[in-house]
Amino acid sequence: MHFSKSPALLRSLTRKNLLWEITDRPGEIFLTFDDGPVPEITPRVLEILDQHNAKATFFCVGENVAKHPEVYRQILDAGHATGNHTFHHLNGWKSRHEDYLADINKCREVVNSRLFRPPYGRIRPTFIKYISNDYRIVMWSVLTGDYDKTLSPETVLKNATDHTTDGSIVVFHDSLKAATNMLYALPRFLDHFTLKGYRFSSISEKRNP
């Protein structure tokens, strides 16, 4: 189960240290992609984004970057931003403090970025203090659920379009697991909001976008 839109109370309680949305950028939407890069999916995402003149932020698993550096380079060459998603896609609720930080640092060796997103959105409050010294921790306001095999592609698209507004940070996944739902929803999502006059931007590493 997931929330299509992040709970307002949670956002308000953690707004100081976690970025959930970008409220001072009217007319812009911030697409993000988690868990890549993978050669079967990521280049197709890049093609779709290019067709819509859209920029995005890719939160990359370090292990995937190490396996597929040429795909990671394609992301950068296309002018998109990247972020650290740990090296082994660790669950922050189940990892020891030192192991989690070490895995972030290992990812940093192949992903040169000061953006970080915790896998599964799970991070202990005690971790946030240390990580936020070096990274801008990016969460989301809209979770499409593209990875959920129980959801139809049409439902994923509706989740995304119904909850997205000015400054939304929207999560898709450039992964094999999410491919069917994501590749259906993404171009239609882009068409929908392009017709409404929205722009699609990457997230800045600076604290104040």
Side-chain angles (χ1 to χ4, degrees):
M1 179 180 177
H2 69 271
F3 294 101
S4 296
K5 190 170 182 64
S6 56
L9 178 60
L10 180 60
R11 295 200 306 270
S12 65
L13 290 175
T14 59
R15 193 179 301 277
K16 180 179 178 181
N17 294 311
L18 305 180
L19 182 67
W20 295 92
E21 57 190 346
I22 301 176
T23 57
D24 60 349
R25 301 281 286 273
E28 291 186 65
I29 293 168
F30 298 87
L31 289 176
T32 64
F33 295 87
D34 287 6
D35 297 356
V38 292
E40 299 88 347
I41 306 300
T42 306
R44 297 173 68 183
V45 171
L46 294 175
E47 290 176 5
I48 294 169
L49 294 174
D50 183 62
Q51 290 165 5
H52 292 81
N53 194 30
K55 297 303 179 188
T57 306
F58 289 77
F59 287 92
C60 299
V61 175
E63 187 174 25
N64 287 339
V65 175
K67 289 178 181 177
H68 311 294
E70 72 289 349
V71 183
Y72 181 70
R73 174 50 57 184
Q74 288 178 36
I75 296 172
L76 297 176
D77 289 347
H80 302 288
T82 60
N84 187 317
H85 203 44
T86 74
F87 195 87
H88 294 104
H89 202 261
L90 293 188
N91 186 327
W93 291 355
K94 298 180 179 180
S95 303
R96 296 191 310 165
H97 179 85
E98 56 269 32
D99 293 338
Y100 196 71
L101 295 183
D103 212 64
I104 293 172
N105 287 333
K106 186 173 178 62
C107 183
R108 192 174 193 169
E109 294 174 4
V110 291
V111 178
N112 182 20
S113 173
R114 294 183 67 84
L115 298 175
F116 173 76
R117 173 174 283 161
Y120 315 103
R122 296 173 181 174
I123 185 170
R124 294 178 187 173
T126 52
F127 291 0
I128 293 173
K129 173 184 174 183
Y130 292 93
I131 296 169
S132 60
N133 288 329
D134 295 317
Y135 292 94
R136 190 177 201 198
I137 304 175
V138 181
M139 303 299 278
W140 58 79
S141 47
V142 180
L143 185 62
T144 65
D146 55 354
Y147 55 85
D148 189 338
K149 296 292 188 181
T150 68
L151 299 181
S152 69
E154 293 81 7
T155 298
V156 169
L157 177 61
K158 189 173 190 304
N159 283 345
T161 56
D162 284 358
H163 296 288
T164 298
T165 186
D166 286 337
S168 290
I169 298 174
V170 182
V171 180
F172 286 97
H173 293 76
D174 56 326
S175 66
L176 292 172
K177 181 179 180 180
T180 298
N181 284 342
M182 183 273 294
L183 291 172
Y184 174 89
L186 177 61
R188 292 165 176 81
F189 177 92
L190 288 163
D191 286 340
H192 176 83
F193 284 102
T194 296
L195 287 173
K196 290 179 173 291
Y198 280 90
R199 303 180 307 281
F200 304 93
S201 305
S202 57
I203 297 172
S204 170
E205 295 183 13
K206 298 178 181 178
R207 298 284 176 175
N208 296 310

